[in-house]
Amino acid sequence: MNSLDRLVGNLQEQLGDSVSRDLSISDFTTYRLGGPVAAAVRVGSESDLATVARVLNDYPDTVPLLIIGRGSNLLVADSGFAGLGIILEGEFAEVVIESDQIVAAGAAVPLPVVARQSAAAGLTGLEFLVGIPGSIGGAVRMNAGGHGSEISTVLEQVRVMNMFDGSISNFAADNLNFSYRASRLTTDEVVIQARLRVRVDVVEKCRERIDEIVQWRRENQPGGANAGSTFKNPPGDSAGRLIDEAGLKGTRIGGAVVSEKHANFLQAEDGATARDVYELMNLIRKRVSEVSGVVLESELHTVGFDATEK
Ligand code: EPU
């Protein structure tokens, strides 16, 4: 019996049916691509997540972890992921309006849901989140942003579980070393909840701002199977502009194609593989660096690919 089999056995003893083998990751990513995740556990409460951490403690360094949120920034290889996927649901998917100054949202809550619920309650400050695909957990970890703001600017406090020992910490936003699309959180620290700052405003005005952003997205970003922005914007420039300038709109590898509407969006058409998307990313990086000298950095989280294949 290998260590993953033993881990799954131990998790099943503690958490029963919420543990499964060979989870089809394509059901959990906006790309709808990728091979199986060897083992997965659905977790709905802090105490169950602490149980997972305790069980994992018996397998130090042997089982890689993948926290599965909205899967809107995730590309898993066609060969899959040989570790444990953790799917947060239940209490992690709840929004609580704590006061007219703070909205608390669980890690699994989609950003547009936080935006709309806050606006409907006459609370302003979070409207920009309606334009960002993703969930609170991933957004905090990578300081997601758009429309002139980023999550660190509205974050009061984040609640995190350390997966080494199940301990919980509450960090003030100032302690997370936020920068453009980055924080100091490690992969062993799972974001559980974020407390976000809001202000009172007229509901109608909040809704108007939401509608404007939704309309801007419809006009400027494509629908279909994609993962939002593929590359981070380099300092002072835009990845979309650079890819466009390199003449790459419409470039295709297999079923993966550079969007004609926004060059930093890569669409997966019917029959696409994760490998197609990955190779298209590599081609873009190479061509943009040849044309403009800028080496683009991935915003998309790629999992299970061999880094030497770049
Ligand atoms: N541009 C082009 N050609 C293109 C695309 C864009 O020339 O094909 C130019 C635009 O004309 C504009 C500039 O590039 O002058 C910037 O483009 P855009 O306004 O679309 O913003 P972005 O920097 O590409 C960022 C976020 C998006 C967010 C928008 C809205 C990053 C990497 N992306 O996009 O976030 O929705 O701003 O403010 O910061 C995401 O992170 O997944 C995401 C969708």
Side-chain angles (χ1 to χ4, degrees), residues 100-103 111 114-130 132 144 146-155 196-203 205-207 209-210 213:
D100 57 13
Q101 292 177 357
I102 295 286
V103 172
L111 300 175
V114 189
R116 287 180 190 283
Q117 287 198 15
S118 306
L123 298 171
T124 186
L126 307 182
E127 292 90 338
F128 73 101
L129 296 177
V130 81
I132 306 170
H147 304 278
S149 201
E150 49 193 18
I151 197 134
S152 57
T153 60
V154 292
L155 186 68
L196 305 163
R197 280 190 298 273
V198 289
R199 298 183 316 279
V200 174
D201 199 358
V202 178
V203 173
K205 282 192 185 163
C206 299
R207 288 214 170 111
R209 283 191 286 268
I210 295 253
I213 292 172

Side-chain angles (χ1 to χ4, degrees), residues 72-73 128 131-134 142-150 180-181 213 216-217 220-221 226-234 237-245 249 258-265 297 299:
S72 59
N73 205 29
F128 73 101
I132 306 170
M142 62 166 290
N143 192 17
H147 304 278
S149 201
E150 49 193 18
Y180 174 70
R181 302 293 175 269
I213 292 172
W216 184 91
R217 286 198 76 199
N220 291 282
Q221 298 179 349
N226 64 61
S229 299
T230 312
F231 297 99
K232 298 179 187 180
N233 285 337
D237 209 335
S238 150
R241 196 196 68 74
L242 290 165
I243 300 166
D244 194 352
E245 185 187 64
K249 276 187 170 174
V258 180
S259 166
E260 294 281 359
K261 199 164 189 178
H262 194 302
N264 200 18
F265 283 62
E297 204 183 310
E299 178 180 294

